[in-house]
């Protein structure tokens, strides 16, 4: 029996309701409910399951718990964990603030050669990086995993406020893509999640991330001697993986030696992401991909309406939210009403686009699915375009930031593409039929 079936059985017992009573309200048969309680069935009908759980009148925390157990039982452990890791990664964009951060505090570089505790080592790293950031020709080279706490506390501020600063960051990913290691894929997604705040705050090709593959657990084990490093034009800090012991060197000859070693390692690495600097390059990338791929997945709060030609060979599968679609549809109406004191609106190109979108849906050249906002907190600033297993384009557009980059690391893009391919089958997404019905109602309302 799964954890879900055991929990469901206990909740039914606690509710005092019979299987016949539950069957009448939920739409399941009594025998099917019994099979689910015994762990012999997991219903694929999320709507009926939601009704069944609603009837049990559970407190909010227990409702969320049994719903998560239902999704896990329906998908299977490995698929559920991978999908949840992707959702956590997508939702992590919400944690990136657009407020400019500039600390007035400056860390002083102590006159020491060795450090034997985490607090002093983090202080030392911050002091050395701050000093290098003040140099108009400053360069910082880092060999460190993204989940190191010191990077999360200092890198966003450095990247946000010192755009001139060149930062080369080398990270280690677990095993090459295609190795079939579930735990490695989850580890790599988690590493990318830690990098997102730094990427958003940098918004600059001066921050470059390089990656190579290895067995991370053994490569960064306690037996390894000082595998991490921060290198500037004036200092080198070599430290262990636990980030509680390190040495600091300011000898010019030794710094040059470490710089040579860093450049040799960088030559063996690949770039993790490619910045898109201007609109022309971005559109060119889209045009090229549309000619070479049969399906393009788009994910954002609002629907993708860039390519709705019936003769277009590329099929568009778009995920958005009902709220985002309504905002898209009503924006022009609100703007025109503000301009026109009479309150009348003559012509609405957004409404014409919605009709064109609905026509494409009915002709099966376009598919639109609504993400359920109570199931996934998709960031309103984020836009994702996936073109198969090799390239995923990210746009993060807010009042203060306009960031575009291509993620071209194959294990990430493969996971994301597979997630978007199967996203329509998950309970976090409404059906295609529901999208068409909602579109028709919205068009009638706005007409």
């Amino acid at each position: 029996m799964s954890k879900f079936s055991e929990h469901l059985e206990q909740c039914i017992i606690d509710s005092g309701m019979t299987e016949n009573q539950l069957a009448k309200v939920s739409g399941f048969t009594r025998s099917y409910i019994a099979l689910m309680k015994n762990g012999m069935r997991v219903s694929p009908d999320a709507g009926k399951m939601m009704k069944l759980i609603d009837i049990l009148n559970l407190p909010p925390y227990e409702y969320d718990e049994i719903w998560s157990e239902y999704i896990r039982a329906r998908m299977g452990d490995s698929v559920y964990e991978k999908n949840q890791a992707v959702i956590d990664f997508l939702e992590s964009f919400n944690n990136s603030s657009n407020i400019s951060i500039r600390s007035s505090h400056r860390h002083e570089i102590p006159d020491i050669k060795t450090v034997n505790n985490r607090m002093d080592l983090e202080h030392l790293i911050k002091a050395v990086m701050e000093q290098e950031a003040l140099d108009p020709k400053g360069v910082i080279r880092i060999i460190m995993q993204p989940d190191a706490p010191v990077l999360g506390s200092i890198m966003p501020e450095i990247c946000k406020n010192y755009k001139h600063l060149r930062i080369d960051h080398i990270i280690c990913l677990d095993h090459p893509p295609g190795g079939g290691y579930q735990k490695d894929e989850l580890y790599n997604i988690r590493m990318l999640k830690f990098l997102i705040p730094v990427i958003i705050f940098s918004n600059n090709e001066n921050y470059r991330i390089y990656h190579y593959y290895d067995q991370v657990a053994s490569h960064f084990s306690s037996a390894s001697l000082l595998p991490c490093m921060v290198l500037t034009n004036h200092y080198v800090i070599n430290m262990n993986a636990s980030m509680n012991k390190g040495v600091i060197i300011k000898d010019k000859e030794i710094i040059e030696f470490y710089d040579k070693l860093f450049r040799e390692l960088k030559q063996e690495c690949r770039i993790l992401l490619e910045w898109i600097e201007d609109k022309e390059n971005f559109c060119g990338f889209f045009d090229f991909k549309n000619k070479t791929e049969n399906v393009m997945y788009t994910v954002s709060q609002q629907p993708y309406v860039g390519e709705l030609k019936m003769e277009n060979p590329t099929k568009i599968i778009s995920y958005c939210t009902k709220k985002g679609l309504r905002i898209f549809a009503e924006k022009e109406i609100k703007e025109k009403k503000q301009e026109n004191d009479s309150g009348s609106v003559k012509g609405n190109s957004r409404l014409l686009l919605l009709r064109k979108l609905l026509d494409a849906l009915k002709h099966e050249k376009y598919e639109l699915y609504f993400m359920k906002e109570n199931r996934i907190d998709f960031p309103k600033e984020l836009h994702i375009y996936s073109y198969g297993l090799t390239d995923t384009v990210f746009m993060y557009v807010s009042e203060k930031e306009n960031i575009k980059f291509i993620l071209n690391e194959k294990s990430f893009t493969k996971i994301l593409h597979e997630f978007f391919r199967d996203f329509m089958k998950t309970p976090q997404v409404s059906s295609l039929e529901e999208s068409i019905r909602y579109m028709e109602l919205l068009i009638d309302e706005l007409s």
Side-chain angles (χ1 to χ4, degrees):
M1 290 179 66
S2 67
K3 192 172 182 181
F4 163 69
S5 60
E6 292 176 354
H7 196 170
L8 178 64
E9 182 179 24
Q10 186 60 51
C11 287
I12 292 174
I13 293 171
D14 294 342
S15 72
M17 299 182 70
T18 66
E19 291 174 3
N20 279 330
Q21 290 173 323
L22 291 171
K24 287 180 181 179
V25 185
S26 68
F28 289 120
T29 63
R30 184 197 64 77
S31 59
Y32 198 91
I33 293 174
L35 289 172
M36 287 195 293
K37 284 169 51 180
N38 294 328
M40 300 176 68
R41 290 285 186 277
V42 179
S43 172
D45 193 326
K48 285 185 179 180
M49 183 55 62
M50 193 172 290
K51 285 183 181 178
L52 178 61
I53 297 176
D54 283 340
I55 298 163
L56 298 175
N57 198 25
L58 303 174
Y61 74 90
E62 191 169 10
Y63 183 101
D64 291 340
E65 184 179 352
I66 196 171
W67 180 260
S68 296
E69 291 167 357
Y70 160 65
I71 301 299
R72 179 185 283 270
R74 177 178 156 179
M75 289 183 170
D77 288 341
S78 62
V79 175
Y80 173 83
E81 288 176 6
K82 188 186 295 187
N83 282 21
Q84 195 57 50
V86 174
I87 290 174
D88 289 343
F89 162 69
L90 298 176
E91 291 181 336
S92 70
F93 282 82
N94 282 318
N95 301 327
S96 301
S97 170
N98 288 316
I99 301 173
S100 178
I101 50 176
R102 184 183 292 274
S103 173
S104 59
H105 176 71
R106 287 290 174 266
H107 299 81
E108 294 184 2
I109 302 176
D111 186 17
I112 57 176
K113 294 182 179 180
T114 61
V115 181
N116 290 298
N117 63 81
R118 180 187 296 273
M119 185 178 296
D120 288 345
L121 187 57
E122 290 187 358
H123 175 98
L124 181 62
I125 293 169
K126 291 177 181 179
V128 167
M129 292 177 70
E130 286 170 352
Q131 184 197 71
E132 191 69 15
L134 296 174
D135 185 347
K137 297 181 180 180
V139 179
I140 298 176
R141 288 137 290 186
I142 302 170
I143 301 176
M144 196 182 300
Q145 292 302 84
D147 57 345
V150 67
L151 291 184
S153 62
I154 187 65
M155 284 287 282
E157 178 186 354
I158 292 287
C159 290
K160 180 77 173 180
N161 298 310
Y162 302 97
K163 298 293 187 182
H164 69 277
L165 184 66
R166 171 68 181 267
I167 302 175
D168 286 349
H169 185 183
I170 295 177
I171 67 171
C172 179
L173 298 181
D174 221 349
H175 291 287
Y181 298 93
Q182 171 74 15
K183 62 180 180 62
D184 304 334
E185 292 177 334
L186 297 180
Y187 176 85
N188 293 344
I189 295 174
R190 192 166 66 89
M191 291 302 101
L192 184 59
K193 175 183 172 182
F194 279 106
L195 285 169
I196 289 305
V198 185
I199 292 170
I200 290 178
F201 276 111
S202 65
N203 188 17
N204 194 315
E205 64 177 0
N206 279 340
Y207 176 54
R208 297 185 182 181
I209 309 168
Y210 300 85
H211 67 279
Y212 66 97
Y213 297 100
D214 203 343
Q215 294 184 346
V216 172
S218 60
H219 183 69
F220 289 98
S221 68
S222 56
S224 298
L225 180 63
L226 306 181
C228 303
M229 182 185 76
V230 172
L231 175 66
T232 72
N233 290 329
H234 307 283
Y235 293 93
V236 58
I237 306 172
N238 213 179
M239 65 207 89
N240 64 350
S242 300
M243 304 291 291
N244 57 13
K245 291 181 175 62
V247 296
I248 178 170
I249 303 167
K250 52 185 177 180
D251 182 278
K252 185 177 180 180
E253 185 177 354
I254 296 178
I255 290 173
E256 290 175 353
F257 176 74
Y258 271 95
D259 179 59
K260 180 176 180 292
L261 293 177
F262 184 89
R263 282 187 277 112
E264 289 175 355
L265 177 58
K266 193 170 74 171
Q267 289 176 354
E268 299 175 6
C269 298
R270 295 181 178 181
I271 289 280
L272 185 68
L273 59 88
E274 175 187 346
W275 293 97
I276 303 176
E277 288 299 318
D278 54 65
K279 186 176 181 180
E280 183 178 353
N281 287 343
F282 187 67
C283 292
F285 181 83
F286 270 65
D287 291 341
F288 171 75
K289 285 296 176 180
N290 281 337
K291 293 175 183 177
T292 58
E293 299 290 346
N294 294 323
V295 179
M296 179 176 79
Y297 297 95
T298 75
V299 193
S300 62
Q301 284 278 352
Q302 297 189 9
Y304 176 75
V305 292
E307 289 285 346
L308 296 177
K309 299 177 182 178
M310 293 301 164
E311 66 274 13
N312 183 18
T314 303
K315 184 173 184 178
I316 309 296
I317 298 178
S318 182
Y319 298 100
C320 71
T321 64
K322 288 182 178 179
K323 182 179 179 181
L325 178 65
R326 181 169 286 276
I327 290 172
F328 168 82
E330 294 180 345
K331 184 178 180 182
E332 187 176 17
I333 295 175
K334 290 180 180 178
E335 289 174 350
K336 288 189 175 183
K337 282 185 176 180
Q338 289 172 357
E339 296 171 2
N340 190 345
D341 293 337
S342 66
S344 62
V345 179
K346 294 183 178 179
N348 183 359
S349 61
R350 294 291 176 97
L351 187 56
L352 293 175
L353 274 174
L354 286 182
R355 286 180 175 141
K356 194 174 181 181
L357 185 64
L358 180 61
D359 191 41
L361 278 169
K362 291 182 175 180
H363 283 84
E364 300 183 349
K365 292 297 295 181
Y366 184 99
E367 292 182 18
L368 178 70
Y369 300 91
F370 292 122
M371 294 180 284
K372 297 179 181 179
E373 294 173 86
N374 62 331
R375 295 296 171 196
I376 175 171
D377 186 18
F378 191 83
K380 64 180 181 180
E381 300 90 352
L382 184 61
H383 307 262
I384 302 176
Y385 306 87
S386 177
Y387 299 92
L389 302 178
T390 56
D391 295 289
T392 303
V393 175
F394 288 80
M395 291 178 61
Y396 184 85
V397 182
S398 65
E399 293 179 0
K400 297 182 180 180
E401 305 288 353
N402 192 339
I403 301 168
K404 307 180 188 75
F405 63 89
I406 303 169
L407 182 66
N408 50 28
E409 196 283 322
K410 291 184 179 179
S411 68
F412 289 141
T413 54
K414 176 178 177 290
I415 291 169
L416 289 172
H417 184 79
E418 291 174 348
F419 174 84
F420 298 140
R421 182 195 63 197
D422 299 329
F423 197 24
M424 63 187 73
K425 304 173 186 176
T426 68
Q428 287 98 347
V429 174
S430 302
S431 67
L432 185 61
E433 292 74 18
E434 183 175 341
S435 301
I436 293 175
R437 286 197 303 271
Y438 184 82
M439 184 82 70
E440 290 172 336
L441 290 172
L442 184 59
I443 290 173
D444 288 342
E445 178 187 332
L446 296 178
S447 299

